[in-house]
Amino acid sequence: MANYRYTAKSMEGKTVRGTMEAAGEAVLGQQLREQGLYLIRARDAAASRRNKKLSSAQLSELCRELSTLLSSGVSIVRGLEIVADEEGLASSQRALYREILADLKKGVGLAEALEERKCFPELMLGMIRSGEGSGNIDAVLKRLSLHYDRENRLREQVKSAMTYPVVLLCMSIAVVILIVTFILPQFDELFSQMETLPGVTVFLMGASDFLINQWYVALFVVFLLAVILRIVCKIREVRRMIDYGKVHLPVVGKLNKVIYTARFSRTLSSLYASGMPIVSALQTAAGTVGNVYVEEQFDKVVSQVRSGVPLSEALREVDGFLRKLSSTILVGEESGRLDAMLDSIAMTMEEEAEAATKRLVTMLEPVLICVMALAVGFIIVAIMLPIYESYSTIEGAA
């Protein structure tokens, strides 16, 4: 029996929404007709939960708990039962775990059960599939826990560092809107008595009138531009140009290279250590970089590695990674400790990314303050200029 979320209409034309268990949409429609309702649309509530991606923190917690239980000799079925019954778990997350548990009890493998839910990353699926094949699923889950814990920590550091600049930018916009909509109208009577006004003042007063009288149009334009920008950014060629700029812009480009290098090396290290072949590990790790321009270059990298070119040499030409990555991999290849060297470079890059983020934020703060000062200064000049010209005219006439 599936649990459906439905939208139906009554004979009076009233729209009714709710949830109901049924063996299928046809059965659901029949049950609703018995209640005097006619089905308009329905969707499986469990399917909607499956499409919701889990966060890095949730993935880390799940992998850590399962790894600990499996290492203690608990079976995967019993381990997932314990995890699903924990207190404080979100209802959607608990339902998701129980769906996976139901598949495991039917004999389905863990990787296959997770893949069916469509809310677990390819990296996790690949590593668990590899761990099931080699029989070291507990070690793979422990490594995944560390991976997602570090990924979550780095994301939180970047988010925390960007909080103050974002707040400052919002305050700047709010101050400008406040001046334009509440303070500038106080000068309407004064400016109306003047024969001519400077162009900047005319423009500013027009903007003020527009925001006061037609603010809804301004909101619609902003919303429309945001939608258009979102659609345009999804075009692959546009996305590629944006991602190209991310690794070539001054200051920001260096920071992004550090982050991409840390992300790639951490993922590749986890996949390689779990026993996945290096070519498959490269293909999966490339998809986690988060930059289309960098990811496109991996077709050549994979082709070179397949033809026998050393990994360090193939990665040296990737535009978007630091050269330190290929140098470190070369040491790992020569010493036979590639996974350890990848771990080492990932930790180093993560520390550098944190330091670079702090430097970037330190630079952003005075830039935003200067932008705010220029905006307020422009408004003050636009107000004072006609007043100054008026006094000059009066003084000349006297």
Side-chain angles (χ1 to χ4, degrees), residues 100 102-114 116 132:
I100 297 169
D103 282 355
L104 292 179
K105 289 179 178 179
K106 295 175 184 176
V108 177
L110 179 59
E112 186 179 346
L114 296 177
E116 179 67 22
E132 287 178 324

Side-chain angles (χ1 to χ4, degrees), residues 173-189 191 204-205 207-213 215 379 383:
I173 295 172
V175 166
V176 171
I177 292 175
L178 181 67
I179 293 174
V180 171
T181 56
F182 288 95
I183 297 177
L184 274 181
Q186 308 300 321
F187 292 88
D188 274 344
E189 187 177 349
F191 291 157
L204 201 59
M205 296 305 294
S208 176
D209 290 338
F210 178 76
L211 288 176
I212 292 171
N213 300 318
W215 56 269
I379 294 172
I383 294 173

Side-chain angles (χ1 to χ4, degrees), residues 147 154 247 253-269 285-286 288-291 294 298 315 318-329 341-353:
H147 174 88
L154 180 61
V247 295
K254 177 66 180 295
L255 171 61
N256 283 325
K257 283 185 178 181
V258 172
I259 293 174
Y260 295 151
T261 304
R263 190 179 295 160
F264 172 78
S265 53
R266 174 70 62 200
T267 305
L268 185 62
S269 171
T288 64
V289 172
N291 186 296
V294 176
F298 271 85
L315 288 175
V318 175
D319 184 18
F321 291 156
L322 297 180
R323 287 297 179 90
K324 188 185 293 186
L325 175 63
S326 58
S327 303
T328 305
I329 290 177
M341 295 308 297
L342 284 169
D343 257 339
S344 173
I345 187 66
M347 292 181 67
T348 303
M349 290 297 101
E350 284 166 1
E351 291 173 359
E352 288 188 17

